[in-house]
């Protein structure tokens, strides 16, 4: 996002620096009892598919939580979880969950639906062979992080996701719903006739999230 750690003022200290303050999996620096979290922390442990410095608010919160556990005596390793980010550019809201590369790899297939206004789109990336979902990208439509994360964590298949896509939608009441158009697009592309089983609704989403 164009942000980078401002660590110049630490150059003359004993702290080990690179682009940011170097930390291990417990967010410990090279100096005992000194930790780094948020935008200034640079992970020495490379998490698959992740960057050493992740300057977004939710990783800032998660690194803070991890340090809180550790300084309170519970040894907890940082786990960045499934990549997630959300932002607002002027009037367009944007979210990404999981792996949505600009140039999909050979094994990745992408279902892309766009509203005729050009201001709303839904992209679902999935594995061409196993059909499990790999990522979601939303423009102008709000999808719940917890629901998308669960589908990604459980390696849910694209067809099950599409049939239940309404579980993820948390646009305000009376906003138009586009999940039927998305599954319709998939049906046209694949010659299938999958029904949309779940429309937008909080109760069904909560039941899904409480499921064991
Ligand atoms: C324009 C912009 C848009 C962004 N949009 C998004 C977004 O849409 N989604 C998202 O997830 N993230 C976004 N980010 C990134 C997000 O804001 C940061 O990841 C997050 O704020 C990092 O939190 P932090 O506590 O590590 O650092 P900061 O929020 O930068 O807090 C550091 C604090 O330390 C203070 N400070 C600095 N030096 C000293 C000093 N020597 N002594 C005492 N205090 C000091 C600073 O004043 C500041 O208050 C955006 C960032 C920018 C700049």
């Amino acid at each position: 996002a164009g942000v980078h750690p401002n660590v110049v003022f630490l150059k003359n200290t004993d702290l080990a620096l690179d682009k940011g303050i170097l930390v291990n999996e417990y967010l410990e620096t090279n100096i005992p009892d000194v930790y780094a979290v948020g935008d200034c922390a640079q992970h020495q442990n490379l998490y698959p598919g992740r960057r050493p410095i992740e300057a977004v608010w939710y990783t800032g919160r998660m690194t803070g939580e991890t340090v809180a556990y550790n300084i309170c005596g519970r040894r907890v390793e940082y786990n960045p979880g499934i990549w997630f980010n959300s932002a607002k550019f002027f009037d367009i809201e944007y979210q990404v969950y999981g792996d949505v590369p600009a140039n999909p790899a050979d094994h990745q297939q992408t279902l892309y639906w766009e509203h005729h206004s050009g201001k709303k789109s839904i992209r679902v990336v999935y594995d061409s062979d196993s059909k499990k979902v790999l990522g979601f990208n939303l423009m102008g439509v709000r999808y719940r992080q917890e629901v998308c994360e669960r589908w990604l964590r459980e390696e849910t298949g694209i067809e099950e996701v599409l049939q239940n896509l309404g579980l993820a939608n948390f646009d305000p009441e009376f906003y138009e719903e586009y999940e039927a158009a998305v599954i319709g697009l998939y049906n046209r592309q694949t010659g299938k006739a999958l029904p949309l089983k779940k429309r937008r609704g909080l109760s069904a989403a909560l039941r899904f999230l409480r499921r064991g």
Side-chain angles (χ1 to χ4, degrees):
V3 283
H4 59 86
N6 181 2
V7 291
V8 179
F9 73 105
L10 298 169
K11 289 254 185 257
N12 295 324
T13 69
D14 292 333
L15 267 180
L17 305 174
D18 181 28
K19 288 187 176 139
I21 303 170
L22 293 170
V23 292
N24 65 12
E25 59 272 40
Y26 301 100
L27 290 317
E28 293 163 328
T29 67
N30 62 312
I31 301 179
D33 299 325
V34 177
Y35 298 80
V37 299
D39 283 11
C40 68
Q42 177 175 340
H43 300 280
Q44 295 178 90
N45 184 14
L46 290 180
Y47 301 97
R50 308 295 290 255
R51 294 183 182 151
I53 299 174
E54 293 191 320
V56 289
W57 72 262
Y58 91 96
T59 50
R61 189 197 63 199
M62 287 166 65
T63 51
E65 284 174 355
T66 304
V67 166
Y69 280 122
N70 283 290
I71 60 180
C72 290
R74 192 165 135 195
R75 198 92 173 126
V76 172
E77 282 187 29
Y78 176 58
N79 175 1
I82 291 171
W83 171 252
F84 144 51
N85 195 15
S86 67
K88 191 168 182 183
F89 300 111
F90 298 101
D91 59 340
I92 299 186
E93 289 191 43
Y94 152 93
Q95 299 122 60
V96 62
Y97 305 119
D99 191 14
V100 186
N103 300 304
D106 287 344
H107 68 95
Q108 293 175 333
Q109 216 161 326
T110 171
L111 178 71
Y112 177 70
W113 169 87
E114 185 175 309
H115 189 255
H116 57 77
S117 67
K119 289 200 165 183
K120 294 173 192 289
S121 67
I122 297 170
R123 185 185 292 280
V124 187
V125 181
Y126 58 102
D127 188 278
S128 320
D129 299 324
S130 68
K131 307 292 182 207
K132 68 183 182 188
V133 287
L134 303 172
F136 298 83
N137 183 202
L138 295 310
M139 288 277 193
V141 183
R142 291 183 190 167
Y143 272 15
R144 287 189 177 84
Q145 185 247 343
E146 297 96 322
V147 170
C148 294
E149 185 184 60
R150 182 150 187 174
W151 281 330
L152 292 165
R153 202 176 53 239
E154 295 182 351
E155 304 189 331
T156 313
I158 177 72
E159 296 189 354
E160 190 182 333
V161 166
L162 291 177
Q163 291 178 84
N164 294 287
L165 204 53
L167 291 175
N169 187 310
F170 77 107
D171 267 339
E173 203 179 358
F174 305 128
Y175 271 42
E176 206 174 323
E177 294 175 49
Y178 303 106
E179 285 68 38
V182 177
I183 198 167
L185 175 67
Y186 181 82
N187 284 338
R188 281 198 300 287
Q189 289 181 353
T190 58
K192 300 202 173 179
L194 301 175
L196 179 66
K197 294 182 185 165
K198 290 279 191 297
R199 291 168 53 87
R200 180 176 64 216
L202 180 61
S203 310
L206 291 177
R207 274 198 302 278
F208 169 76
L209 290 171
R210 285 189 195 125
R211 210 184 59 189

